Amino acid sequence: MNPVHPPLIPAIRRFNRFYSNILGFLNQYVTNSEFSSAEVCVLLEIGQTENCTSKKLARELKMDTGYLSRTIKRLEKHNLVAKKRSEKDGRSYYLYLTEEGSDSLYKLMELSDEQIGYLTAELQEKNKKGLLEGMKMIEDALADSLLLFKKKPKLAKQTER
Amino acid sequence: MNPVHPPLIPAIRRFNRFYSNILGFLNQYVTNSEFSSAEVCVLLEIGQTENCTSKKLARELKMDTGYLSRTIKRLEKHNLVAKKRSEKDGRSYYLYLTEEGSDSLYKLMELSDEQIGYLTAELQEKNKKGLLEGMKMIEDALADSLLLFKKKPKLAKQTER
DNA sequence: TTATTTTAGTTGACTTTATCAAATAAAGTC
DNA sequence: GACTTTATTTGATAAAGTCAACTAAAATAA
């Protein structure tokens, strides 16, 4: 009793190729910016995380803590991020955006919007609607699966060559 | 006369975050393999390109020719790819998969399928259907935009810090 | 024809990005 | 108070990617 609808796997493969291109285009705002993509991720995440610490960032962004530490240090050096030692726990530091960091992030988001604008400007109303609906359908369909594998342990790197 | 439907930009942002996670999960087959992602891209592209040359690869994958050259060399060393000098044009070489390369690619695709399987195994029929439909809607909506920016010249890297 | 320019691919030198293990120092536990 | 765990940093290195110079073949023009 295999499904009747067209084979899912090739369709997903196809969509992945397609949407990776879209993402590549939309992320040009990062490439065109003065920041590395690690820096943008960190900036974004600090911007939207309450009582943000290095630990939280590492978990959320799945980033190596060493690499993260250096990335933060670079952002600090440019006065975009500052840290304040926790009073309850002297091992950890709260990270926040400085005024300047906030501005930079805001400008980045404007560029991102602009990029999305390029993508969608010429769309007819019916395509905009289709896009919205399509995104919603995918999110609804996969929401549970996403949760599932987020909980699963990460697979280990296998063979060495 | 701004659109009536919910704001497109935040919805796209949201979906991008969501689907990047999905892609991250689905691409674990690469991370878990013995190949670098550049190697996988090249292997895949050679596998599906007629009369494949380095030039074609570089254009299609937007890869630096130097990096590409070394990537191919590595694949050659492992007997996955071979080249044959063109008779009409001694500057270029046709690239093809060896038996072994073909096998490796096949195995990679099996792993990729498996990964997609993990994602979709638990989906109810109605969600599978929704997923398919959603993908189709997005592709239809954005097909033209994608063509458009694929033709546009690539933006240059801007300021130095 | 041969001199000049363009094209395909390679190589060397280098930068950026990322990983991993050891070190540091504060907290928590027995 | 000794031992362990936890948060973060640092050093050493590896992997990924970029760029310009180079080689050799083709195409073009004098």
Side-chain angles (χ1 to χ4, degrees):
Chain A
M1 59 154 254
N2 235 344
V4 186
H5 44 255
L8 200 50
I9 289 185
I12 291 180
R13 243 195 238 298
R14 187 188 134 81
F15 180 76
N16 287 171
R17 235 178 299 121
F18 178 84
Y19 208 75
S20 294
N21 273 315
I22 301 284
L23 284 173
F25 173 74
L26 290 179
N27 280 324
Q28 281 181 12
Y29 83 95
V30 176
T31 328
N32 296 149
S33 82
E34 62 201 316
F35 304 104
S36 74
S37 66
E39 287 167 335
V40 172
C41 290
V42 168
L43 228 36
L44 261 158
E45 200 66 21
I46 294 179
Q48 63 181 55
T49 306
E50 297 279 291
N51 302 323
C52 185
T53 62
S54 191
K55 195 195 170 189
K56 280 191 191 177
L57 286 180
R59 179 156 28 79
E60 195 59 33
L61 303 173
K62 292 176 180 58
M63 246 173 112
D64 172 79
T65 57
Y67 185 38
L68 177 57
S69 168
R70 280 180 251 258
T71 303
I72 293 169
K73 199 194 278 180
R74 233 175 310 131
L75 291 170
E76 265 184 290
K77 211 173 57 195
H78 290 283
N79 269 308
L80 304 172
V81 165
K83 48 183 161 186
K84 182 166 172 304
R85 192 167 194 160
S86 160
E87 284 172 11
K88 288 156 240 150
D89 184 344
R91 289 168 305 179
S92 56
Y93 296 81
Y94 293 117
L95 301 163
Y96 53 90
L97 300 180
T98 61
E99 190 85 6
E100 210 183 325
S102 216
D103 289 354
S104 290
L105 184 53
Y106 185 78
K107 274 172 206 149
L108 279 169
M109 290 306 92
E110 283 186 321
L111 291 174
S112 165
D113 287 356
E114 189 185 9
Q115 202 68 34
I116 297 179
Y118 297 145
L119 184 74
T120 56
E122 309 286 303
L123 293 185
Q124 293 177 297
E125 280 307 304
K126 88 164 192 283
N127 282 333
K128 288 189 187 173
K129 210 172 143 236
L131 179 56
L132 277 166
E133 242 181 277
M135 295 189 298
K136 174 117 180 47
M137 290 178 82
I138 295 177
E139 287 181 60
D140 288 347
L142 294 181
D144 296 344
S145 308
L146 184 60
L147 284 180
L148 248 175
F149 76 73
K150 278 215 160 173
K151 277 177 204 150
K152 289 235 177 90
K154 208 178 150 190
L155 285 117
K157 179 106 183 169
Q158 288 177 330
T159 34
E160 219 49 49
R161 181 145 59 194
Chain B
M1 62 152 249
N2 235 345
V4 186
H5 43 254
L8 199 49
I9 289 184
I12 291 179
R13 244 196 238 298
R14 190 187 133 81
F15 180 76
N16 287 170
R17 234 177 300 120
F18 178 84
Y19 208 74
S20 294
N21 273 316
I22 300 284
L23 286 173
F25 173 75
L26 290 179
N27 280 324
Q28 281 181 10
Y29 82 96
V30 175
T31 327
N32 296 146
S33 83
E34 62 200 318
F35 303 105
S36 73
S37 64
E39 286 168 336
V40 172
C41 289
V42 167
L43 228 36
L44 262 159
E45 199 66 22
I46 294 179
Q48 62 181 55
T49 306
E50 296 279 291
N51 302 322
C52 187
T53 61
S54 191
K55 195 196 169 185
K56 280 191 191 177
L57 287 180
R59 180 156 27 80
E60 196 58 34
L61 303 174
K62 292 176 181 56
M63 246 173 112
D64 172 80
T65 56
Y67 184 38
L68 177 57
S69 170
R70 280 181 252 257
T71 303
I72 293 169
K73 201 194 278 179
R74 232 175 310 133
L75 291 171
E76 264 184 289
K77 210 172 60 195
H78 290 284
N79 269 310
L80 305 172
V81 164
K83 49 183 161 188
K84 183 164 171 304
R85 190 169 196 162
S86 161
E87 285 172 10
K88 289 157 238 149
D89 184 343
R91 289 167 305 178
S92 57
Y93 297 81
Y94 292 117
L95 300 164
Y96 52 91
L97 300 180
T98 61
E99 191 84 8
E100 210 184 325
S102 219
D103 290 354
S104 290
L105 184 53
Y106 185 80
K107 273 171 207 146
L108 278 170
M109 290 306 92
E110 282 185 323
L111 292 174
S112 164
D113 287 356
E114 189 185 6
Q115 201 68 31
I116 296 178
Y118 296 144
L119 184 74
T120 56
E122 308 286 303
L123 294 185
Q124 293 177 297
E125 280 307 303
K126 88 164 192 282
N127 282 335
K128 288 190 187 173
K129 211 170 146 239
L131 180 56
L132 277 167
E133 242 182 277
M135 296 191 296
K136 173 119 179 45
M137 290 180 82
I138 294 176
E139 288 181 59
D140 288 347
L142 293 181
D144 296 344
S145 309
L146 184 60
L147 285 180
L148 247 177
F149 75 73
K150 276 216 162 175
K151 278 177 201 149
K152 291 236 178 93
K154 208 178 150 191
L155 285 115
K157 180 109 181 165
Q158 290 178 327
T159 35
E160 219 50 48
R161 182 146 59 193

Coordinates of all heavy atoms in Angstrom, one line a residue, chain B residues 11 33 44 55 78-79 85 89 96 100 105 107 116 118-119 122 127 129 138 143 145:
Chain B
A11 N 7.2 36.2 7.0 CA 6.8 34.9 6.7 C 8.0 34.1 6.0 O 8.3 33.0 6.3 CB 5.6 34.8 5.9
S33 N 29.4 11.2 5.6 CA 30.1 10.4 4.6 C 31.6 10.7 4.7 O 32.1 11.6 5.4 CB 29.6 10.8 3.2 OG 30.3 12.0 2.7
L44 N 28.3 14.6 -7.8 CA 26.9 14.7 -8.3 C 26.8 15.4 -9.7 O 26.1 14.9 -10.6 CB 26.1 15.6 -7.3 CG 25.2 14.8 -6.3 CD1 24.9 15.7 -5.1 CD2 23.9 14.4 -7.0
K55 N 35.3 23.6 -16.7 CA 34.6 24.9 -17.0 C 33.2 24.9 -16.6 O 32.6 25.7 -15.9 CB 34.8 25.3 -18.4 CG 34.6 26.7 -18.7 CD 34.4 27.0 -20.2 CE 33.9 28.4 -20.4 NZ 33.6 28.7 -21.7
H78 N 41.5 9.1 -5.8 CA 40.7 8.0 -5.2 C 40.0 7.2 -6.2 O 39.1 6.4 -5.9 CB 39.8 8.6 -4.2 CG 40.5 9.1 -3.0 ND1 41.0 8.3 -2.0 CD2 40.8 10.4 -2.6 CE1 41.5 9.0 -1.0 NE2 41.4 10.3 -1.4
N79 N 40.3 7.5 -7.5 CA 39.7 6.7 -8.6 C 38.2 6.8 -8.7 O 37.5 5.8 -9.1 CB 40.1 5.2 -8.4 CG 41.3 4.9 -9.1 OD1 41.5 5.2 -10.3 ND2 42.3 4.3 -8.4
R85 N 41.4 13.9 -22.3 CA 41.6 15.1 -23.0 C 40.7 15.2 -24.2 O 40.6 14.2 -25.0 CB 43.1 15.2 -23.4 CG 43.5 16.5 -23.9 CD 45.0 16.6 -24.0 NE 45.5 17.9 -24.2 CZ 46.7 18.3 -23.9 NH1 47.6 17.5 -23.5 NH2 47.0 19.6 -24.1
D89 N 39.8 20.1 -28.6 CA 40.4 21.2 -27.9 C 41.3 20.7 -26.8 O 40.8 20.3 -25.7 CB 39.3 22.1 -27.4 CG 39.9 23.3 -26.7 OD1 41.1 23.3 -26.3 OD2 39.1 24.2 -26.5
Y96 N 34.5 12.2 -16.2 CA 33.5 11.3 -16.0 C 33.7 10.4 -14.8 O 34.8 10.4 -14.2 CB 33.3 10.4 -17.2 CG 34.5 9.7 -17.7 CD1 34.9 8.5 -17.2 CD2 35.4 10.3 -18.6 CE1 36.1 7.9 -17.6 CE2 36.6 9.7 -19.0 CZ 36.9 8.5 -18.5 OH 38.1 7.9 -18.9
E100 N 33.9 2.9 -9.9 CA 33.9 3.1 -8.5 C 33.2 4.4 -8.1 O 32.5 4.5 -7.0 CB 35.4 3.2 -8.0 CG 35.6 2.7 -6.6 CD 37.1 2.9 -6.2 OE1 38.0 2.7 -7.1 OE2 37.3 3.2 -5.0
L105 N 28.7 7.3 -5.7 CA 27.6 8.3 -5.8 C 26.2 7.6 -5.6 O 25.4 8.2 -4.9 CB 27.6 8.9 -7.3 CG 26.5 9.9 -7.6 CD1 26.6 11.1 -6.5 CD2 26.7 10.5 -9.0
K107 N 25.8 5.1 -3.7 CA 25.6 4.9 -2.2 C 25.3 6.1 -1.5 O 24.4 6.1 -0.6 CB 26.9 4.3 -1.6 CG 27.0 2.8 -1.7 CD 28.3 2.2 -1.4 CE 28.6 0.9 -2.1 NZ 30.0 0.7 -2.4
I116 N 16.1 11.4 4.0 CA 14.7 11.9 3.7 C 13.7 11.0 4.3 O 12.7 11.4 4.8 CB 14.5 12.0 2.1 CG1 15.5 13.0 1.6 CG2 13.1 12.4 1.8 CD1 15.4 13.2 0.1
Y118 N 14.0 9.3 7.1 CA 13.8 9.6 8.5 C 12.9 10.8 8.7 O 12.1 10.9 9.7 CB 15.2 10.0 9.1 CG 16.2 8.9 9.1 CD1 17.6 9.2 9.0 CD2 15.8 7.6 9.4 CE1 18.5 8.2 9.0 CE2 16.8 6.6 9.4 CZ 18.1 6.9 9.2 OH 19.1 5.9 9.2
L119 N 13.0 11.8 7.8 CA 12.2 13.0 7.9 C 10.7 12.7 7.7 O 9.8 13.3 8.3 CB 12.7 14.0 6.9 CG 12.0 15.4 7.0 CD1 12.5 16.2 8.2 CD2 12.2 16.2 5.7
E122 N 7.3 9.2 9.5 CA 6.2 9.3 10.5 C 5.1 10.2 10.0 O 4.1 10.3 10.7 CB 6.7 9.8 11.8 CG 7.9 9.1 12.4 CD 7.6 7.8 12.9 OE1 6.7 7.7 13.8 OE2 8.2 6.8 12.5
N127 N -0.2 14.8 5.6 CA 1.0 15.7 5.7 C 1.9 15.5 4.5 O 2.5 16.5 4.0 CB 1.7 15.5 7.0 CG 1.0 16.2 8.1 OD1 0.3 17.2 7.9 ND2 1.2 15.7 9.3
K129 N 0.9 14.7 1.6 CA 0.3 15.4 0.5 C 0.5 16.9 0.6 O 0.8 17.6 -0.4 CB -1.2 15.1 0.5 CG -1.9 15.1 -0.8 CD -3.3 14.5 -0.8 CE -4.2 15.2 -1.8 NZ -5.3 15.9 -1.2
I138 N 5.4 26.6 -4.0 CA 6.5 27.5 -3.9 C 7.3 27.6 -5.2 O 7.7 28.6 -5.7 CB 7.4 27.1 -2.7 CG1 6.7 27.3 -1.4 CG2 8.7 27.9 -2.7 CD1 7.4 26.9 -0.2
A143 N 9.4 30.3 -9.6 CA 10.2 29.9 -10.7 C 10.7 31.0 -11.5 O 11.9 31.0 -11.9 CB 9.3 29.0 -11.6
S145 N 11.2 34.3 -10.7 CA 12.1 35.0 -10.0 C 13.5 34.4 -10.0 O 14.5 35.0 -10.2 CB 11.7 35.2 -8.5 OG 10.4 35.7 -8.4

